[in-house]
């Protein structure tokens, strides 16, 4: 008996796995409860049809708006409340359905939405109207669709077009207002920076007046020019001093050697050279006279006096020349000392000027900064005035909303399709749920899965009104399908046990009239037909 139970368990587990994926079993469940599926499906479809019949038809009107980049960079730069460019489009999308724009629609006398029966019963009229408007940006473009839903097709188109036009005009008004705000802001800033420029200029000029004699411009630096000139003069004076001292040294050495000054070429200036030329001529004339006249001849004596006089003049000039060389050395030394003192004074003044120029540079930079900012703001102010005078807009209506021809809601085809899907889902779900609650045994799989018992066979329905004929069908109709089914059961029972173990077979049921007598009688007949002694109790 233990072996029999183990065999049943293995058989049931294998078939349980097959049953888990047996779609045919699911289909049999649906067929078995098909009227439940049809009823649930019909109920859902009826409700869908009632909804479609009673639902208010909603029309959708669409208008397309183009939102270009914000070009008023002047306002963005100087007014801190302006949004950044990357948030600009999102800001405009939210503005389209803002309470301000919705309130403008409600206040429009042509629309008369406050008296519209579609909105008048709503406690939040603005929220109800905003719920009818959808803003849908078109991907990878600067276009945005404004969709308005309303039971009246003409009202839907009017709301869409009015909203687009109000949005366009409101944007233009805000741009003009921003330009005026920018002008006021820039005008105040220009005045403020103008005062700063004037104050910086006065401070710069006062600093120059307080430090006369100093130049603060590199193009007109008197000290640098004076320094350059003094350095050149000093170099020339030093060269002259060296030359004069060298000449003086040569003269001293020449005279110390007891040589005649006439032998020094450096002492021969133009005056001495002229006197020597005159002396040579006079000596030539005197030499000729000495050959003709005696010592007491008046012209000879006169000529001799002229020669003596020229020689004395030459000696005197030589003496003066030697003295002049010494004098030139003194003058050159004095000049060098004077220029060196001037150069030292200039260098000291330059150091002082450097200190002054540092502070001057700070004041000048402050002046230049305020002046540049003033000029920039002044230019911006002029630009703002020009922009304020030009009514430019970056929002355009690309397509106006036409009056829709067909209703947008309810969507007949889609709603019916969804109803069919929902009806089938409800029917199938209800069928499977009822089957889940039904714990009766109906199929071979139920026996093997739930009862963990082997399935012996099927007994077909016997269509005979006579109880005796039905109980004796295996004997009366041995070649029928019914008789064959009993023989199959007999074979299944015989194969389950060894012959010596099989002695008694009990036929039982849970309730009366389930076929215990029919099964036991026919099963006894098929056993007896095999020659086995059979006792039917």
């Amino acid at each position: 008996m233990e072996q029999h139970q183990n065999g049943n368990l293995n058989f049931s587990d294998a078939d349980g796995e097959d049953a888990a994926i047996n779609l045919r079993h699911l289909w049999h469940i649906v067929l078995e409860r098909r009227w439940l599926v049809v009823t649930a499906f019909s109920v859902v479809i009826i409700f869908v049809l009632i909804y479609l019949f009673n639902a208010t038809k909603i029309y959708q009107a669409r208008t397309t708006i183009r939102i270009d980049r914000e070009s008023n960079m002047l306002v963005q730069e100087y007014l801190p409340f302006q949004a950044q460019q990357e948030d600009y489009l999102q800001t405009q999308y939210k503005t389209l359905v803002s309470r301000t724009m919705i309130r403008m629609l409600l206040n429009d006398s042509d629309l008369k939405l406050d008296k519209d029966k579609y909105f008048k019963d709503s406690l939040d009229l603005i929220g109800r109207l905003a719920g009818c408007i959808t803003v849908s940006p078109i991907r990878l473009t600067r276009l945005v669709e404004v969709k308005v839903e309303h039971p009246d097709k003409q009202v839907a188109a009017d709301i869409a077009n009015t909203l687009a036009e109000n949005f366009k005009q409101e944007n233009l008004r805000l741009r003009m207002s921003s330009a005026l705000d920018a002008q006021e802001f820039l005008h105040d800033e220009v005045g403020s920076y103008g005062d700063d420029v004037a104050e910086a200029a006065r401070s710069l000029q006062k600093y120059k007046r307080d430090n006369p004699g100093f130049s603060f411009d590199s193009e007109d630096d008197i000290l640098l020019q004076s320094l350059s000139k003094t350095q050149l003069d000093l170099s020339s004076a030093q060269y002259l001093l060296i030359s004069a001292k060298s000449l003086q040294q040569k003269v001293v050495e020449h005279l110390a050697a007891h040589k005649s000054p006439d032998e020094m070429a450096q002492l021969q200036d133009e005056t001495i050279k002229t006197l020597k030329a005159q002396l040579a001529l006079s000596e030539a004339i005197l030499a000729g006279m000495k050959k003709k006249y005696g010592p007491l001849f008046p012209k000879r004596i006169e000529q001799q006096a002229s020669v003596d006089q020229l020689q004395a003049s030459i000696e005197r000039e030589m003496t003066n020349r030697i003295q002049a060389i010494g004098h030139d050395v003194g003058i050159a030394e004095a000049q060098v000392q004077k220029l060196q003192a001037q150069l030292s004074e200039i260098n000291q003044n330059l150091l002082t000027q450097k200190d002054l120029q540092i502070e001057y540079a700070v004041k000048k930079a402050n002046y230049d900064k305020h002046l540049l900012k003033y000029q920039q703001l002044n230019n911006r102010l002029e630009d703002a005035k020009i922009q304020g005078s030009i009514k430019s807009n970056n929002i355009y209506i690309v397509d106006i909303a036409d009056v829709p021809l067909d209703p947008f809601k309810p969507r007949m085809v889609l709603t019916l399709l969804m109803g069919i899907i929902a009806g089938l889902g409800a029917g199938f779900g209800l069928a499977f749920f009822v089957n889940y609650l039904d714990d009766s045994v109906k199929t071979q799989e139920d026996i093997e899965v739930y009862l963990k018992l082997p399935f012996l066979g099927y007994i077909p329905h016997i269509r005979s009104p006579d109880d005796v004929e039905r109980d004796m069908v295996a004997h009366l109709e041995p070649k029928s399908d019914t008789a064959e089914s009993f023989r199959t059961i007999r074979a299944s029972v015989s194969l389950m046990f060894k012959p010596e173990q099989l002695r008694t077979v009990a036929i039982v049921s849970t309730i009366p009239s389930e076929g215990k007598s029919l099964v036991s009688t026919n099963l006894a007949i098929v056993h007896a037909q095999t020659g086995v002694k059979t006792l039917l109790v």
Side-chain angles (χ1 to χ4, degrees):
M1 192 66 182
E2 180 180 356
Q3 181 181 2
H4 165 68
Q5 291 177 349
N6 292 339
N8 288 343
L9 289 174
N10 294 335
F11 178 77
S12 300
D13 291 343
D15 282 354
E17 293 179 0
D18 294 337
I21 57 174
N22 192 353
L23 297 179
R24 183 179 299 176
H25 173 67
L26 299 178
W27 176 245
H28 284 308
I29 294 175
V30 174
L31 289 180
E32 184 180 357
R33 292 176 171 80
R34 54 187 176 275
W35 293 112
L36 181 61
V37 174
V38 171
T39 302
F41 176 78
S42 301
V43 170
V44 172
I45 293 299
I46 290 173
F47 276 110
V48 170
L49 293 176
I50 293 174
Y51 164 75
L52 291 176
F53 181 77
N54 294 326
T56 303
K57 293 183 179 180
I58 303 297
Y59 294 86
Q60 185 184 79
R62 302 185 181 188
T63 181
T64 305
I65 301 174
R66 189 182 84 197
I67 305 176
D68 290 338
R69 291 184 180 276
E70 176 59 65
S71 59
N72 194 354
M73 298 306 296
L74 174 73
V75 176
Q76 291 187 358
E77 180 176 355
Y78 288 97
L79 294 182
F81 55 81
Q82 287 294 325
Q84 297 295 325
Q85 185 63 36
E86 56 269 19
D87 300 332
Y88 180 71
L89 287 177
Q90 293 298 327
T91 302
Q92 297 303 315
Y93 300 154
K94 295 298 182 182
T95 303
L96 262 170
V97 289
S98 63
R99 298 185 71 86
T100 299
M101 298 302 301
I102 301 301
R103 192 174 288 108
M104 292 175 65
L105 289 175
L106 293 174
N107 294 334
D108 194 303
S109 59
D110 295 333
L111 294 178
K112 299 179 180 179
L113 296 179
D114 55 339
K115 299 179 181 179
D116 194 311
K117 62 180 181 180
Y118 188 64
F119 299 115
K120 66 179 182 179
D121 296 334
S122 176
L123 297 178
D124 184 9
L125 189 57
I126 294 179
R128 178 68 180 277
L129 181 54
C132 298
I133 301 172
T134 304
V135 177
S136 302
I138 301 177
R139 189 172 179 269
L140 301 179
T141 69
R142 290 193 166 269
L143 300 178
V144 57
E145 277 189 338
V146 179
K147 306 173 185 177
V148 178
E149 299 177 4
H150 193 274
D152 191 325
K153 62 179 72 175
Q154 184 63 50
V155 173
D158 292 342
I159 291 176
N161 291 326
T162 304
L163 177 62
E165 185 62 29
N166 290 347
F167 178 64
K168 174 183 174 182
Q169 296 300 325
E170 182 66 12
N171 182 74
L172 178 60
R173 186 190 68 80
L174 290 176
R175 287 170 62 87
M176 298 294 293
S177 176
S178 298
L180 292 176
D181 293 340
Q183 290 184 35
E184 295 179 1
F185 173 79
L186 291 173
H187 186 272
D188 296 340
E189 289 294 303
V190 167
S192 175
Y193 273 96
D195 295 339
D196 294 339
V197 170
E199 179 63 27
R202 285 193 294 269
S203 176
L204 199 62
Q205 190 62 28
K206 181 177 181 299
Y207 190 76
K208 284 184 176 182
R209 288 197 305 268
D210 293 342
N211 298 280
F214 293 98
S215 175
F216 299 100
D217 298 321
S218 58
E219 297 83 1
D220 188 27
D221 197 334
I222 299 174
L223 283 178
L224 289 177
Q225 295 175 4
S226 178
L227 176 65
S228 178
K229 182 178 181 303
T230 303
Q231 287 175 338
L232 291 175
D233 292 343
L234 178 60
S235 297
S236 299
Q238 288 175 339
Y239 175 76
L240 292 176
L241 177 60
I242 293 171
S243 299
K245 285 186 175 182
S246 177
L247 180 58
Q248 185 185 38
Q249 183 66 23
K250 289 180 180 180
V251 170
V252 170
E253 292 176 354
H254 185 79
L255 295 178
H258 302 289
K259 296 180 180 181
S260 174
D262 292 339
E263 297 177 3
M264 289 191 67
Q266 291 85 348
L267 297 178
Q268 308 297 322
D269 58 3
E270 293 299 327
T271 301
I272 295 176
K273 289 179 181 180
T274 301
L275 290 175
K276 283 186 175 183
Q278 292 177 358
L279 177 60
L281 180 59
S282 297
E283 286 179 343
I285 293 173
L286 179 59
M289 286 184 178
K290 286 183 178 180
K291 293 179 181 180
K292 293 181 181 182
Y293 306 107
L296 299 178
F297 186 73
K299 288 185 177 180
R300 178 181 173 181
I301 296 171
E302 183 179 352
Q303 188 63 30
Q304 182 65 47
S306 178
V307 170
D308 295 338
Q309 185 179 1
L310 286 171
Q311 288 179 345
S313 296
I314 290 172
E315 292 176 358
R316 187 171 57 252
E317 287 297 328
M318 283 290 184
T319 302
N320 291 337
R321 176 63 179 152
I322 292 171
Q323 292 176 352
I325 290 174
H327 184 65
D328 290 342
V329 171
I331 293 175
E333 288 178 345
Q335 184 67 17
V336 168
Q337 292 176 358
K338 178 182 177 182
L339 291 174
Q340 287 178 340
Q342 289 180 358
L343 186 62
S344 178
E345 182 180 358
I346 292 173
N347 286 328
Q348 185 62 37
N349 289 338
L350 279 175
L351 292 176
T352 303
Q353 180 172 277
K354 288 294 183 183
D355 295 336
L356 295 175
Q357 282 181 335
I358 292 174
E359 186 173 354
Y360 175 80
V362 174
K363 293 181 177 294
K364 183 69 166 56
N366 184 53
Y367 168 75
D368 292 340
K369 179 186 70 175
H370 285 87
L371 180 61
L372 177 62
K373 195 66 175 181
Y374 172 78
Q375 292 172 344
Q376 290 176 343
L377 288 173
N378 199 38
N379 293 335
R380 294 285 187 176
L381 178 59
E382 295 301 322
D383 293 342
K385 291 180 179 178
I386 294 175
Q387 291 182 5
S389 62
I390 300 176
K391 294 183 178 180
S392 61
N393 202 346
N394 65 319
I395 293 179
Y396 308 91
I397 299 177
V398 178
D399 293 324
I400 63 173
D402 296 326
V403 177
L405 300 179
D406 299 322
F408 177 72
K409 294 178 181 179
R411 300 179 181 180
M412 295 290 184
V413 176
L414 180 60
T415 305
L416 283 175
L417 181 60
M418 296 299 293
I420 292 172
I421 295 174
L424 291 176
F428 291 153
L430 190 59
F432 291 136
F433 180 72
V434 172
N435 183 75
Y436 173 76
L437 296 179
D438 184 6
D439 57 357
S440 61
V441 177
K442 298 177 290 298
T443 64
Q444 174 184 347
E445 289 80 4
D446 293 340
I447 294 174
E448 294 172 346
V449 172
Y450 300 115
L451 301 181
K452 306 298 182 181
L453 296 174
F455 179 74
L456 300 179
Y458 287 101
I459 299 175
H461 179 65
I462 302 174
R463 302 179 180 276
S464 175
D466 189 0
D467 293 339
V468 175
E469 289 184 3
R470 287 191 290 114
D471 293 342
M472 299 290 288
V473 66
H475 174 69
L476 299 175
E477 299 179 10
K479 296 183 178 180
S480 65
D481 293 337
T482 304
E484 185 64 28
S485 65
F486 282 109
R487 285 192 288 270
T488 301
I489 296 173
R490 179 200 65 190
S492 298
V493 172
S494 301
L495 293 174
M496 290 178 59
F497 301 95
K498 294 179 180 181
E500 62 273 11
Q501 293 178 338
L502 183 60
R503 291 291 183 267
T504 304
V505 177
I507 309 299
V508 296
S509 68
T510 58
I511 58 176
S513 301
E514 281 193 325
K516 296 184 294 297
S517 299
L518 183 146
V519 172
S520 59
T521 303
N522 286 281
L523 188 59
I525 293 172
V526 295
H527 272 86
Q529 289 174 349
T530 61
V532 178
K533 293 181 179 181
T534 304
L535 175 63
L536 174 63
V537 179

